[in-house]
Amino acid sequence: MTWLSNCKLMVAALAGSAVVSALPGFTTFTPRADEELAAYDMHNRRDANPLLAREKAYDNCTAPIALVGKAPKKNIWGGLSNAEVTSILGYVHDPASGLNLTSYDKKTLWDNYVYLVEQVMPNKTEAVSYMEGSGPAPDRYARVAISFGATETPYYEDYIVGPLPISEKTKVEPLTYYYNKGTSKQYNFRHDNSVRNKWK
Ligand SMILES: *[C@@H]1O[C@H](CO)[C@@H](O)[C@H](O)[C@H]1NC(C)=O
Ligand SMILES: *[C@@H]1O[C@H](CO)[C@@H](O)[C@H](O)[C@H]1NC(C)=O
Ligand SMILES: *[C@@H]1O[C@H](CO)[C@@H](O)[C@H](O)[C@H]1NC(C)=O
């Protein structure tokens, strides 16, 4: 289907209804000749319009050009950078955190290990005050999801780490306010599957 790689050829083909209905996969397509031709005409006129010159890159169906612009505020929902994630992992794996974590590559089910790190989105009040007012950028926080396996009764629990970057002000504590039940703690009986299966 090489014709698909050339937009001009495709538009020309669409304008000719006989060609369209003869194409496999297009048999149910009802060409609206006037509109297709108008679109084709616009395509030609666009070439002559300097304001639309940047769109010429579409001629070969290339990806659209990124618009050049500068956002007035930084993106406060953009996720964590790799550097942030690395520093967070270092922070929670430090014995001082009290979480007794085993690194992911060495863990077994019966260890405590981190299985997810992601941004905790800022609360609306702080976000609006920054985006629409003159408030400071909201502090950044991370959700660190942990599988606690170094116990008789394994469970998952989410922690919140912040503010970022890591400093003396940074704390790690259970993330509770996300959850209506007041805790993210979820017992995990998967660890005992081998024992449970013996009962079958
Ligand atoms: C489209 O492709 C042709 C042939 O490869 C090339 O000469 C031309 O510069 C391309 N045009 C654009 C706008 O990329
Ligand atoms: C820490 O985890 C290890 C297993 O990774 C376990 O053997 C040890 O008992 C745990 N320590 C405490 C204080 O819970
Ligand atoms: C968001 O609001 C909740 C409820 O007031 C509060 O407990 C939490 O600390 C706030 N989160 C952040 C990231 O500021």
PDB file of all heavy atoms in Angstrom, residues 32-63:
ATOM      1  N   ARG A  32     -17.725  11.865  -0.601  1.00  0.00           N
ATOM      2  CA  ARG A  32     -18.487  13.098  -0.756  1.00  0.00           C
ATOM      3  C   ARG A  32     -17.622  14.006  -1.612  1.00  0.00           C
ATOM      4  O   ARG A  32     -16.793  14.744  -1.113  1.00  0.00           O
ATOM      5  CB  ARG A  32     -18.778  13.697   0.613  1.00  0.00           C
ATOM      6  CG  ARG A  32     -19.797  12.876   1.397  1.00  0.00           C
ATOM      7  CD  ARG A  32     -19.795  13.237   2.839  1.00  0.00           C
ATOM      8  NE  ARG A  32     -18.510  12.919   3.450  1.00  0.00           N
ATOM      9  CZ  ARG A  32     -18.172  13.300   4.669  1.00  0.00           C
ATOM     10  NH1 ARG A  32     -18.986  14.009   5.385  1.00  0.00           N
ATOM     11  NH2 ARG A  32     -17.001  12.975   5.152  1.00  0.00           N
ATOM     12  N   ALA A  33     -17.791  13.862  -2.900  1.00  0.00           N
ATOM     13  CA  ALA A  33     -16.840  14.422  -3.853  1.00  0.00           C
ATOM     14  C   ALA A  33     -16.573  15.910  -3.625  1.00  0.00           C
ATOM     15  O   ALA A  33     -15.427  16.333  -3.640  1.00  0.00           O
ATOM     16  CB  ALA A  33     -17.338  14.179  -5.268  1.00  0.00           C
ATOM     17  N   ASP A  34     -17.626  16.686  -3.364  1.00  0.00           N
ATOM     18  CA  ASP A  34     -17.421  18.124  -3.224  1.00  0.00           C
ATOM     19  C   ASP A  34     -16.505  18.442  -2.047  1.00  0.00           C
ATOM     20  O   ASP A  34     -15.581  19.234  -2.160  1.00  0.00           O
ATOM     21  CB  ASP A  34     -18.768  18.837  -3.030  1.00  0.00           C
ATOM     22  CG  ASP A  34     -19.553  18.847  -4.346  1.00  0.00           C
ATOM     23  OD1 ASP A  34     -18.951  18.463  -5.385  1.00  0.00           O
ATOM     24  OD2 ASP A  34     -20.738  19.206  -4.314  1.00  0.00           O
ATOM     25  N   GLU A  35     -16.796  17.802  -0.909  1.00  0.00           N
ATOM     26  CA  GLU A  35     -15.974  18.075   0.271  1.00  0.00           C
ATOM     27  C   GLU A  35     -14.537  17.622   0.064  1.00  0.00           C
ATOM     28  O   GLU A  35     -13.591  18.294   0.469  1.00  0.00           O
ATOM     29  CB  GLU A  35     -16.547  17.334   1.490  1.00  0.00           C
ATOM     30  CG  GLU A  35     -17.737  18.033   2.101  1.00  0.00           C
ATOM     31  CD  GLU A  35     -18.328  17.203   3.212  1.00  0.00           C
ATOM     32  OE1 GLU A  35     -17.545  16.658   4.005  1.00  0.00           O
ATOM     33  OE2 GLU A  35     -19.563  17.096   3.269  1.00  0.00           O
ATOM     34  N   GLU A  36     -14.367  16.447  -0.547  1.00  0.00           N
ATOM     35  CA  GLU A  36     -13.017  15.944  -0.763  1.00  0.00           C
ATOM     36  C   GLU A  36     -12.250  16.889  -1.681  1.00  0.00           C
ATOM     37  O   GLU A  36     -11.089  17.199  -1.447  1.00  0.00           O
ATOM     38  CB  GLU A  36     -13.045  14.539  -1.398  1.00  0.00           C
ATOM     39  CG  GLU A  36     -13.903  13.516  -0.694  1.00  0.00           C
ATOM     40  CD  GLU A  36     -13.508  13.262   0.749  1.00  0.00           C
ATOM     41  OE1 GLU A  36     -12.444  13.733   1.187  1.00  0.00           O
ATOM     42  OE2 GLU A  36     -14.294  12.600   1.440  1.00  0.00           O
ATOM     43  N   LEU A  37     -12.948  17.360  -2.718  1.00  0.00           N
ATOM     44  CA  LEU A  37     -12.278  18.257  -3.650  1.00  0.00           C
ATOM     45  C   LEU A  37     -11.945  19.581  -2.976  1.00  0.00           C
ATOM     46  O   LEU A  37     -10.881  20.145  -3.192  1.00  0.00           O
ATOM     47  CB  LEU A  37     -13.159  18.477  -4.892  1.00  0.00           C
ATOM     48  CG  LEU A  37     -13.189  17.274  -5.844  1.00  0.00           C
ATOM     49  CD1 LEU A  37     -14.241  17.463  -6.922  1.00  0.00           C
ATOM     50  CD2 LEU A  37     -11.813  17.059  -6.478  1.00  0.00           C
ATOM     51  N   ALA A  38     -12.877  20.062  -2.117  1.00  0.00           N
ATOM     52  CA  ALA A  38     -12.609  21.313  -1.401  1.00  0.00           C
ATOM     53  C   ALA A  38     -11.370  21.133  -0.534  1.00  0.00           C
ATOM     54  O   ALA A  38     -10.519  22.013  -0.445  1.00  0.00           O
ATOM     55  CB  ALA A  38     -13.816  21.704  -0.561  1.00  0.00           C
ATOM     56  N   ALA A  39     -11.265  19.966   0.125  1.00  0.00           N
ATOM     57  CA  ALA A  39     -10.115  19.703   0.982  1.00  0.00           C
ATOM     58  C   ALA A  39      -8.839  19.686   0.146  1.00  0.00           C
ATOM     59  O   ALA A  39      -7.806  20.214   0.553  1.00  0.00           O
ATOM     60  CB  ALA A  39     -10.299  18.356   1.687  1.00  0.00           C
ATOM     61  N   TYR A  40      -8.934  19.101  -1.014  1.00  0.00           N
ATOM     62  CA  TYR A  40      -7.764  19.029  -1.890  1.00  0.00           C
ATOM     63  C   TYR A  40      -7.365  20.415  -2.344  1.00  0.00           C
ATOM     64  O   TYR A  40      -6.196  20.775  -2.381  1.00  0.00           O
ATOM     65  CB  TYR A  40      -8.103  18.126  -3.082  1.00  0.00           C
ATOM     66  CG  TYR A  40      -6.928  17.831  -3.975  1.00  0.00           C
ATOM     67  CD1 TYR A  40      -5.695  17.491  -3.402  1.00  0.00           C
ATOM     68  CD2 TYR A  40      -7.033  17.876  -5.356  1.00  0.00           C
ATOM     69  CE1 TYR A  40      -4.611  17.202  -4.203  1.00  0.00           C
ATOM     70  CE2 TYR A  40      -5.949  17.590  -6.156  1.00  0.00           C
ATOM     71  CZ  TYR A  40      -4.739  17.252  -5.592  1.00  0.00           C
ATOM     72  OH  TYR A  40      -3.664  16.977  -6.382  1.00  0.00           O
ATOM     73  N   ASP A  41      -8.372  21.235  -2.637  1.00  0.00           N
ATOM     74  CA  ASP A  41      -8.122  22.596  -3.086  1.00  0.00           C
ATOM     75  C   ASP A  41      -7.434  23.390  -1.976  1.00  0.00           C
ATOM     76  O   ASP A  41      -6.454  24.094  -2.191  1.00  0.00           O
ATOM     77  CB  ASP A  41      -9.473  23.228  -3.457  1.00  0.00           C
ATOM     78  CG  ASP A  41      -9.283  24.578  -4.123  1.00  0.00           C
ATOM     79  OD1 ASP A  41      -8.313  24.694  -4.897  1.00  0.00           O
ATOM     80  OD2 ASP A  41     -10.077  25.494  -3.856  1.00  0.00           O
ATOM     81  N   MET A  42      -7.929  23.207  -0.729  1.00  0.00           N
ATOM     82  CA  MET A  42      -7.348  23.911   0.412  1.00  0.00           C
ATOM     83  C   MET A  42      -5.884  23.507   0.575  1.00  0.00           C
ATOM     84  O   MET A  42      -5.027  24.313   0.864  1.00  0.00           O
ATOM     85  CB  MET A  42      -8.119  23.514   1.673  1.00  0.00           C
ATOM     86  CG  MET A  42      -8.329  24.643   2.629  1.00  0.00           C
ATOM     87  SD  MET A  42      -9.645  24.223   3.763  1.00  0.00           S
ATOM     88  CE  MET A  42      -8.973  22.860   4.652  1.00  0.00           C
ATOM     89  N   HIS A  43      -5.640  22.233   0.366  1.00  0.00           N
ATOM     90  CA  HIS A  43      -4.302  21.685   0.458  1.00  0.00           C
ATOM     91  C   HIS A  43      -3.367  22.430  -0.505  1.00  0.00           C
ATOM     92  O   HIS A  43      -2.256  22.799  -0.148  1.00  0.00           O
ATOM     93  CB  HIS A  43      -4.379  20.190   0.110  1.00  0.00           C
ATOM     94  CG  HIS A  43      -3.091  19.475   0.182  1.00  0.00           C
ATOM     95  ND1 HIS A  43      -2.613  18.947   1.364  1.00  0.00           N
ATOM     96  CD2 HIS A  43      -2.175  19.181  -0.767  1.00  0.00           C
ATOM     97  CE1 HIS A  43      -1.460  18.356   1.119  1.00  0.00           C
ATOM     98  NE2 HIS A  43      -1.172  18.480  -0.157  1.00  0.00           N
ATOM     99  N   ASN A  44      -3.879  22.694  -1.727  1.00  0.00           N
ATOM    100  CA  ASN A  44      -3.057  23.414  -2.707  1.00  0.00           C
ATOM    101  C   ASN A  44      -2.873  24.871  -2.320  1.00  0.00           C
ATOM    102  O   ASN A  44      -1.784  25.415  -2.416  1.00  0.00           O
ATOM    103  CB  ASN A  44      -3.713  23.336  -4.103  1.00  0.00           C
ATOM    104  CG  ASN A  44      -3.493  21.969  -4.727  1.00  0.00           C
ATOM    105  OD1 ASN A  44      -2.571  21.259  -4.337  1.00  0.00           O
ATOM    106  ND2 ASN A  44      -4.340  21.599  -5.670  1.00  0.00           N
ATOM    107  N   ARG A  45      -3.971  25.485  -1.855  1.00  0.00           N
ATOM    108  CA  ARG A  45      -3.885  26.906  -1.503  1.00  0.00           C
ATOM    109  C   ARG A  45      -2.958  27.126  -0.315  1.00  0.00           C
ATOM    110  O   ARG A  45      -2.292  28.130  -0.216  1.00  0.00           O
ATOM    111  CB  ARG A  45      -5.283  27.455  -1.185  1.00  0.00           C
ATOM    112  CG  ARG A  45      -6.022  27.889  -2.451  1.00  0.00           C
ATOM    113  CD  ARG A  45      -7.344  28.509  -2.124  1.00  0.00           C
ATOM    114  NE  ARG A  45      -8.277  27.535  -1.615  1.00  0.00           N
ATOM    115  CZ  ARG A  45      -9.052  27.735  -0.544  1.00  0.00           C
ATOM    116  NH1 ARG A  45      -9.018  28.854   0.103  1.00  0.00           N
ATOM    117  NH2 ARG A  45      -9.875  26.784  -0.142  1.00  0.00           N
ATOM    118  N   ARG A  46      -2.930  26.116   0.573  1.00  0.00           N
ATOM    119  CA  ARG A  46      -2.092  26.207   1.755  1.00  0.00           C
ATOM    120  C   ARG A  46      -0.627  26.431   1.374  1.00  0.00           C
ATOM    121  O   ARG A  46       0.091  27.186   2.000  1.00  0.00           O
ATOM    122  CB  ARG A  46      -2.223  24.906   2.547  1.00  0.00           C
ATOM    123  CG  ARG A  46      -1.730  24.985   3.947  1.00  0.00           C
ATOM    124  CD  ARG A  46      -1.827  23.647   4.598  1.00  0.00           C
ATOM    125  NE  ARG A  46      -0.971  22.669   3.917  1.00  0.00           N
ATOM    126  CZ  ARG A  46      -0.991  21.383   4.150  1.00  0.00           C
ATOM    127  NH1 ARG A  46      -1.837  20.890   5.005  1.00  0.00           N
ATOM    128  NH2 ARG A  46      -0.187  20.561   3.515  1.00  0.00           N
ATOM    129  N   ASP A  47      -0.216  25.769   0.295  1.00  0.00           N
ATOM    130  CA  ASP A  47       1.171  25.889  -0.144  1.00  0.00           C
ATOM    131  C   ASP A  47       1.537  27.341  -0.460  1.00  0.00           C
ATOM    132  O   ASP A  47       2.691  27.737  -0.300  1.00  0.00           O
ATOM    133  CB  ASP A  47       1.401  25.031  -1.402  1.00  0.00           C
ATOM    134  CG  ASP A  47       1.480  23.556  -1.036  1.00  0.00           C
ATOM    135  OD1 ASP A  47       1.420  23.256   0.166  1.00  0.00           O
ATOM    136  OD2 ASP A  47       1.599  22.736  -1.955  1.00  0.00           O
ATOM    137  N   ALA A  48       0.524  28.117  -0.891  1.00  0.00           N
ATOM    138  CA  ALA A  48       0.812  29.494  -1.291  1.00  0.00           C
ATOM    139  C   ALA A  48       0.718  30.460  -0.108  1.00  0.00           C
ATOM    140  O   ALA A  48       1.064  31.624  -0.231  1.00  0.00           O
ATOM    141  CB  ALA A  48      -0.177  29.914  -2.379  1.00  0.00           C
ATOM    142  N   ASN A  49       0.251  29.978   1.036  1.00  0.00           N
ATOM    143  CA  ASN A  49       0.027  30.854   2.181  1.00  0.00           C
ATOM    144  C   ASN A  49       1.221  30.773   3.139  1.00  0.00           C
ATOM    145  O   ASN A  49       1.430  29.751   3.783  1.00  0.00           O
ATOM    146  CB  ASN A  49      -1.257  30.416   2.890  1.00  0.00           C
ATOM    147  CG  ASN A  49      -1.606  31.333   4.051  1.00  0.00           C
ATOM    148  OD1 ASN A  49      -0.749  32.072   4.549  1.00  0.00           O
ATOM    149  ND2 ASN A  49      -2.849  31.279   4.472  1.00  0.00           N
ATOM    150  N   PRO A  50       1.999  31.874   3.236  1.00  0.00           N
ATOM    151  CA  PRO A  50       3.204  31.811   4.077  1.00  0.00           C
ATOM    152  C   PRO A  50       2.876  31.543   5.546  1.00  0.00           C
ATOM    153  O   PRO A  50       3.661  30.923   6.259  1.00  0.00           O
ATOM    154  CB  PRO A  50       3.851  33.184   3.890  1.00  0.00           C
ATOM    155  CG  PRO A  50       2.804  34.054   3.271  1.00  0.00           C
ATOM    156  CD  PRO A  50       1.823  33.156   2.576  1.00  0.00           C
ATOM    157  N   LEU A  51       1.665  31.959   5.975  1.00  0.00           N
ATOM    158  CA  LEU A  51       1.293  31.745   7.381  1.00  0.00           C
ATOM    159  C   LEU A  51       1.198  30.249   7.689  1.00  0.00           C
ATOM    160  O   LEU A  51       1.378  29.808   8.821  1.00  0.00           O
ATOM    161  CB  LEU A  51      -0.052  32.400   7.685  1.00  0.00           C
ATOM    162  CG  LEU A  51      -0.012  33.908   7.853  1.00  0.00           C
ATOM    163  CD1 LEU A  51      -1.426  34.434   8.056  1.00  0.00           C
ATOM    164  CD2 LEU A  51       0.864  34.299   9.034  1.00  0.00           C
ATOM    165  N   LEU A  52       0.870  29.483   6.649  1.00  0.00           N
ATOM    166  CA  LEU A  52       0.678  28.043   6.854  1.00  0.00           C
ATOM    167  C   LEU A  52       1.877  27.245   6.355  1.00  0.00           C
ATOM    168  O   LEU A  52       1.829  26.031   6.260  1.00  0.00           O
ATOM    169  CB  LEU A  52      -0.594  27.583   6.131  1.00  0.00           C
ATOM    170  CG  LEU A  52      -1.885  28.210   6.670  1.00  0.00           C
ATOM    171  CD1 LEU A  52      -3.053  27.830   5.783  1.00  0.00           C
ATOM    172  CD2 LEU A  52      -2.151  27.772   8.092  1.00  0.00           C
ATOM    173  N   ALA A  53       2.961  27.950   6.081  1.00  0.00           N
ATOM    174  CA  ALA A  53       4.106  27.291   5.453  1.00  0.00           C
ATOM    175  C   ALA A  53       4.627  26.131   6.310  1.00  0.00           C
ATOM    176  O   ALA A  53       5.044  25.109   5.795  1.00  0.00           O
ATOM    177  CB  ALA A  53       5.216  28.299   5.210  1.00  0.00           C
ATOM    178  N   ARG A  54       4.561  26.274   7.628  1.00  0.00           N
ATOM    179  CA  ARG A  54       5.120  25.215   8.475  1.00  0.00           C
ATOM    180  C   ARG A  54       4.392  23.888   8.277  1.00  0.00           C
ATOM    181  O   ARG A  54       4.938  22.841   8.527  1.00  0.00           O
ATOM    182  CB  ARG A  54       5.095  25.623   9.945  1.00  0.00           C
ATOM    183  CG  ARG A  54       3.710  25.717  10.511  1.00  0.00           C
ATOM    184  CD  ARG A  54       3.717  25.914  12.001  1.00  0.00           C
ATOM    185  NE  ARG A  54       2.361  25.971  12.501  1.00  0.00           N
ATOM    186  CZ  ARG A  54       1.623  24.901  12.755  1.00  0.00           C
ATOM    187  NH1 ARG A  54       2.122  23.701  12.585  1.00  0.00           N
ATOM    188  NH2 ARG A  54       0.381  25.018  13.173  1.00  0.00           N
ATOM    189  N   GLU A  55       3.154  23.983   7.819  1.00  0.00           N
ATOM    190  CA  GLU A  55       2.387  22.751   7.617  1.00  0.00           C
ATOM    191  C   GLU A  55       2.858  21.968   6.405  1.00  0.00           C
ATOM    192  O   GLU A  55       2.429  20.851   6.187  1.00  0.00           O
ATOM    193  CB  GLU A  55       0.896  23.059   7.491  1.00  0.00           C
ATOM    194  CG  GLU A  55       0.307  23.515   8.799  1.00  0.00           C
ATOM    195  CD  GLU A  55      -1.205  23.492   8.768  1.00  0.00           C
ATOM    196  OE1 GLU A  55      -1.761  22.930   7.813  1.00  0.00           O
ATOM    197  OE2 GLU A  55      -1.793  24.041   9.707  1.00  0.00           O
ATOM    198  N   LYS A  56       3.755  22.577   5.624  1.00  0.00           N
ATOM    199  CA  LYS A  56       4.234  21.880   4.433  1.00  0.00           C
ATOM    200  C   LYS A  56       4.893  20.548   4.787  1.00  0.00           C
ATOM    201  O   LYS A  56       4.939  19.648   3.966  1.00  0.00           O
ATOM    202  CB  LYS A  56       5.223  22.749   3.666  1.00  0.00           C
ATOM    203  CG  LYS A  56       4.534  23.761   2.800  1.00  0.00           C
ATOM    204  CD  LYS A  56       5.520  24.414   1.878  1.00  0.00           C
ATOM    205  CE  LYS A  56       4.859  25.515   1.089  1.00  0.00           C
ATOM    206  NZ  LYS A  56       5.837  26.268   0.312  1.00  0.00           N
ATOM    207  N   ALA A  57       5.392  20.452   5.993  1.00  0.00           N
ATOM    208  CA  ALA A  57       6.042  19.202   6.388  1.00  0.00           C
ATOM    209  C   ALA A  57       5.066  18.041   6.344  1.00  0.00           C
ATOM    210  O   ALA A  57       5.471  16.895   6.283  1.00  0.00           O
ATOM    211  CB  ALA A  57       6.636  19.345   7.773  1.00  0.00           C
ATOM    212  N   TYR A  58       3.755  18.340   6.391  1.00  0.00           N
ATOM    213  CA  TYR A  58       2.762  17.277   6.304  1.00  0.00           C
ATOM    214  C   TYR A  58       2.745  16.643   4.919  1.00  0.00           C
ATOM    215  O   TYR A  58       2.147  15.611   4.714  1.00  0.00           O
ATOM    216  CB  TYR A  58       1.354  17.816   6.594  1.00  0.00           C
ATOM    217  CG  TYR A  58       1.106  18.120   8.036  1.00  0.00           C
ATOM    218  CD1 TYR A  58       1.124  19.426   8.486  1.00  0.00           C
ATOM    219  CD2 TYR A  58       0.850  17.098   8.943  1.00  0.00           C
ATOM    220  CE1 TYR A  58       0.899  19.718   9.822  1.00  0.00           C
ATOM    221  CE2 TYR A  58       0.613  17.391  10.277  1.00  0.00           C
ATOM    222  CZ  TYR A  58       0.639  18.697  10.706  1.00  0.00           C
ATOM    223  OH  TYR A  58       0.396  18.991  12.008  1.00  0.00           O
ATOM    224  N   ASP A  59       3.383  17.314   3.964  1.00  0.00           N
ATOM    225  CA  ASP A  59       3.318  16.834   2.588  1.00  0.00           C
ATOM    226  C   ASP A  59       3.737  15.382   2.461  1.00  0.00           C
ATOM    227  O   ASP A  59       3.236  14.658   1.625  1.00  0.00           O
ATOM    228  CB  ASP A  59       4.214  17.704   1.685  1.00  0.00           C
ATOM    229  CG  ASP A  59       3.484  18.986   1.304  1.00  0.00           C
ATOM    230  OD1 ASP A  59       2.335  19.149   1.752  1.00  0.00           O
ATOM    231  OD2 ASP A  59       4.058  19.793   0.571  1.00  0.00           O
ATOM    232  N   ASN A  60       4.695  14.960   3.258  1.00  0.00           N
ATOM    233  CA  ASN A  60       5.148  13.580   3.178  1.00  0.00           C
ATOM    234  C   ASN A  60       4.621  12.760   4.342  1.00  0.00           C
ATOM    235  O   ASN A  60       5.186  11.746   4.699  1.00  0.00           O
ATOM    236  CB  ASN A  60       6.682  13.522   3.187  1.00  0.00           C
ATOM    237  CG  ASN A  60       7.259  14.071   1.900  1.00  0.00           C
ATOM    238  OD1 ASN A  60       6.533  14.426   0.985  1.00  0.00           O
ATOM    239  ND2 ASN A  60       8.572  14.128   1.839  1.00  0.00           N
ATOM    240  N   CYS A  61       3.540  13.217   4.974  1.00  0.00           N
ATOM    241  CA  CYS A  61       2.971  12.548   6.136  1.00  0.00           C
ATOM    242  C   CYS A  61       3.974  12.414   7.270  1.00  0.00           C
ATOM    243  O   CYS A  61       3.985  11.418   7.999  1.00  0.00           O
ATOM    244  CB  CYS A  61       2.436  11.161   5.770  1.00  0.00           C
ATOM    245  SG  CYS A  61       1.111  11.209   4.582  1.00  0.00           S
ATOM    246  N   THR A  62       4.865  13.375   7.399  1.00  0.00           N
ATOM    247  CA  THR A  62       5.811  13.330   8.510  1.00  0.00           C
ATOM    248  C   THR A  62       5.079  13.736   9.783  1.00  0.00           C
ATOM    249  O   THR A  62       3.982  14.283   9.720  1.00  0.00           O
ATOM    250  CB  THR A  62       6.977  14.300   8.275  1.00  0.00           C
ATOM    251  OG1 THR A  62       6.424  15.553   7.893  1.00  0.00           O
ATOM    252  CG2 THR A  62       7.892  13.797   7.184  1.00  0.00           C
ATOM    253  N   ALA A  63       5.684  13.483  10.939  1.00  0.00           N
ATOM    254  CA  ALA A  63       5.068  13.865  12.204  1.00  0.00           C
ATOM    255  C   ALA A  63       4.931  15.376  12.236  1.00  0.00           C
ATOM    256  O   ALA A  63       5.762  16.091  11.671  1.00  0.00           O
ATOM    257  CB  ALA A  63       5.936  13.389  13.354  1.00  0.00           C
TER     258      ALA A  63
END
